[in-house]
Amino acid sequence: IGPESNLLAREPRHCHRIYLESPLLTNEELDFVKGIQIDGWRSKEVDCTFLLSEGPQGLQMAIDRICKEALDAVNEGYAIIVLTDKYVNHDKVPISSLMSCGAVHHHLIRNICRGRVGLFVESGDAREVHHICLLIGFGADAVCPYMVYN
């Protein structure tokens, strides 16, 4: 997982990636990824919530904000983006992790930079194996279903 180099050329950078035995992460493993600062690797957390008071229009604005933050993170050299809905409170509601993950994945593809970053999802709405499989199908490289562990 992580930034990919030119697949047509042999380079030492091809080995400079994270190996995971499973795309399913524990809270502790994700905490390690969030704090990573090794060999130029940094991770950026993106809040996938929106204000309840903004109503349905707030959802579209939040998706646009999330996509912009993810693209900015790639352009700033972050190697990992963590999409999280952990900032939920009585004023902020979570965006479906499938919606936010799919939107970011395709936004980065359209901007020709998806291969430059690993996409992790920290999700409260992924509770079953099928949910995690869908997230991976929607572009996630790894998923931490934190509500499963709580």
Side-chain angles (χ1 to χ4, degrees):
I1 294 176
E4 298 175 2
S5 299
N6 180 356
L7 297 176
L8 301 176
R10 287 187 176 198
E11 300 175 11
R13 290 178 27 191
H14 287 292
C15 298
H16 190 67
R17 302 189 72 208
I18 295 175
Y19 172 76
L20 298 176
E21 291 193 21
S22 168
L24 182 65
L25 300 177
T26 64
N27 292 329
E28 293 77 21
E29 290 168 332
L30 186 65
D31 286 342
F32 173 79
V33 169
K34 285 181 181 179
I36 198 166
Q37 301 239 343
I38 302 169
D39 293 331
W41 282 65
R42 299 178 299 154
S43 69
K44 171 81 172 185
E45 207 173 37
V46 177
D47 178 17
C48 294
T49 63
F50 70 102
L51 291 173
L52 180 61
S53 61
E54 293 176 346
Q57 299 83 6
L59 176 60
Q60 183 59 53
M61 291 186 309
I63 292 291
D64 294 342
R65 172 188 52 82
I66 291 165
C67 289
K68 182 185 179 321
E69 285 182 30
L71 183 59
D72 290 347
V74 173
N75 291 332
E76 292 169 13
Y78 286 91
I80 297 170
I81 296 172
V82 179
L83 303 175
T84 182
D85 62 10
K86 265 196 158 174
Y87 297 104
V88 173
N89 60 34
H90 65 281
D91 293 324
K92 295 172 81 175
V93 294
I95 297 171
S96 161
S97 57
L98 282 173
M99 185 182 295
S100 56
C101 180
V104 167
H105 176 71
H106 286 284
H107 185 71
L108 296 178
I109 288 172
R110 279 190 300 275
N111 285 278
I112 312 169
C113 60
R114 177 60 181 95
R116 292 172 34 200
V117 68
L119 191 57
F120 287 50
V121 177
E122 182 177 31
S123 172
D125 64 359
R127 293 176 303 278
E128 298 176 14
V129 173
H130 181 72
H131 300 155
I132 294 161
C133 293
L134 285 170
L135 283 166
I136 292 167
F138 274 55
D141 291 311
V143 180
C144 176
Y146 65 87
M147 291 298 288
V148 170
Y149 302 121
N150 293 340

